[in-house]
Amino acid sequence: MSSTKRVIAVVGATGAQGGGLVRAITAHPSGAFRARALTRNVDSPAAKELRALGAEVVAADLDDEASLRRAFEGAHGAYCVTFFWDHASPEKETEQARAMARAARHARVEHVIWSTIEDTRRWVPLADGRIPTLRGKYKVPHMDAKGEADTTFLDLGVPTTFFHTAFYWENFIYLGMGPQRGEDGRLSLTLPLGTARLPGIATEDIGRVAYRIFERGADFIGQRLGVASDHLTGSELAAAFSAIAGEEVRYHAIDLDVYRRLDIPGVDDLANMFQFKRDFEADYCGLRDVARTRVLNPNLRSFAAWLADNQRRITLPPPA
């Protein structure tokens, strides 16, 4: 591999977003970049797969700033992302983001993509009871903590693109969020969104957009960019599932108060997240512009196309 290629250090390279970017870089062997995949375990099967694709795999830990400085050294760009659901601590989330910002500044990285999200307290202050306050200082902890960290990148003068992703279509595969069969024997897709639209995108498409942002460099430094391949209502998502299920999938717009009582990890955080996306649909969808995303990734897949590509990976409960 040519030594003239500029290095992109990718945090969380064995995860969803980071893995998508590493694969986008390695899919362009004649391109301008080479991937440096950062992971805590360089010997994991996922790390070995990335190495086989041609990525450089190096050890780094978001709780060890010195390891981040070493991993960013000599890199032209860095893709920075955190993993709230690994630890469920918003304070840890913010500090990890700050550690990446400090490491990028120390290494003089020329372009950082920071995978952030809205700090919902800009829309719903803590004193506003429309959305319950959690842990005394957050509305949606996993969102607010990321958004809060934006200021560190700005204050340190790190050349940053503030990158807002959307709901991963893969959540329907890996997180059990796909249609379920009820006691009446019928399939239902359950989401607490009412009639609001949900922006979503495949993780591979996130990686392809990030690759293009690094290619265009200066065009996006200092910019805030959201991505999505579709904005779909629950009914539209259910209709797409119906097309691959061979039977009707109904949309069940579960009430938020009922959803908050479900026995699932982090349900209070998730319920507030869905409420924010529902109540501030125009702002949330508006940032995640489908047409602009398609300009950056002309091969962007719609939800229906993604479903068709992944039909064999989606398990729908069989009839009783």
Side-chain angles (χ1 to χ4, degrees):
M1 189 174 290
S2 172
S3 61
T4 63
K5 289 178 178 287
R6 292 174 292 173
V7 171
I8 304 295
V10 183
V11 175
T14 58
Q17 292 185 41
L21 176 56
V22 171
R23 285 186 286 275
I25 294 171
T26 57
H28 291 78
S30 61
F33 305 121
R34 61 186 178 95
R36 179 180 294 166
L38 278 56
T39 179
R40 285 176 296 183
N41 183 1
V42 297
D43 296 316
S44 71
K48 291 177 179 177
E49 288 180 12
L50 296 179
R51 191 179 288 114
L53 291 174
E56 173 193 6
V57 179
V58 302
D61 190 321
L62 295 187
D63 295 321
D64 179 357
E65 188 173 325
S67 75
L68 291 170
R69 291 187 177 196
R70 290 190 297 270
F72 287 175
E73 194 65 37
H76 163 78
Y79 189 87
C80 295
V81 62
T82 51
F83 315 99
F84 178 85
W85 299 107
D86 283 357
H87 48 74
S89 167
E91 292 78 17
K92 185 172 185 175
E93 180 100 338
T94 302
E95 181 50 39
Q96 288 178 340
R98 289 171 175 164
M100 286 187 287
R102 292 190 296 262
R105 182 182 184 223
H106 180 268
R108 297 178 179 171
V109 174
E110 295 180 41
H111 188 183
V112 166
I113 295 178
W114 160 229
S115 180
T116 185
I117 201 163
E118 288 86 338
D119 183 338
T120 65
R121 295 167 296 185
R122 289 179 52 214
W123 286 263
V124 190
L126 294 181
D128 188 331
R130 285 177 294 169
I131 295 179
T133 295
L134 303 178
R135 310 188 194 200
K137 55 182 180 180
Y138 302 104
K139 289 298 183 178
V140 185
H142 81 274
M143 295 178 67
D144 300 347
K146 280 186 172 66
E148 185 177 313
D150 289 1
T151 57
T152 301
F153 290 88
L154 291 166
D155 292 346
L156 292 176
V158 177
T160 304
T161 300
F162 297 90
F163 191 52
H164 291 243
T165 60
F167 180 89
Y168 304 162
W169 298 139
E170 286 82 1
N171 290 341
F172 290 126
I173 298 175
Y174 300 116
L175 297 186
M177 297 182 72
Q180 301 297 317
R181 199 171 294 278
E183 293 181 358
D184 61 0
R186 302 179 68 182
L187 288 172
S188 293
L189 178 68
T190 300
L191 291 170
L193 279 170
T195 59
R197 297 166 297 154
L198 178 68
I201 190 170
T203 55
E204 292 296 313
D205 286 320
I206 293 173
R208 293 179 186 124
V209 173
Y211 178 90
R212 183 62 174 147
I213 292 171
F214 278 123
E215 275 194 326
R216 290 181 53 176
D219 291 349
F220 290 101
I221 290 174
Q223 301 298 308
R224 193 168 294 275
L225 174 70
V227 292
S229 69
D230 273 310
H231 299 163
L232 299 175
T233 65
S235 295
E236 289 169 334
L237 290 165
F241 274 113
S242 298
I244 68 162
E247 61 179 292
E248 181 188 14
V249 177
R250 298 175 298 173
Y251 170 48
H252 175 210
I254 186 172
D255 185 82
L256 272 165
D257 289 337
V258 175
Y259 185 82
R260 286 188 168 96
R261 295 195 295 271
L262 296 180
D263 184 20
I264 57 177
V267 69
D268 53 350
D269 193 324
L270 292 171
N272 284 8
M273 174 196 73
F274 280 118
Q275 183 177 351
F276 176 77
K277 292 179 180 182
R278 183 197 70 184
D279 293 353
F280 298 92
E281 175 189 6
D283 287 346
Y284 192 78
C285 289
L287 178 60
R288 292 157 177 83
D289 188 289
V290 174
R292 191 180 189 191
T293 305
R294 185 167 289 110
V295 168
L296 292 168
N297 176 11
N299 295 318
L300 185 68
R301 288 173 296 172
S302 67
F303 178 57
W306 177 85
L307 269 182
D309 290 343
N310 290 274
Q311 185 168 351
R312 293 183 180 179
R313 301 169 64 200
I314 295 170
T315 302
L316 296 174

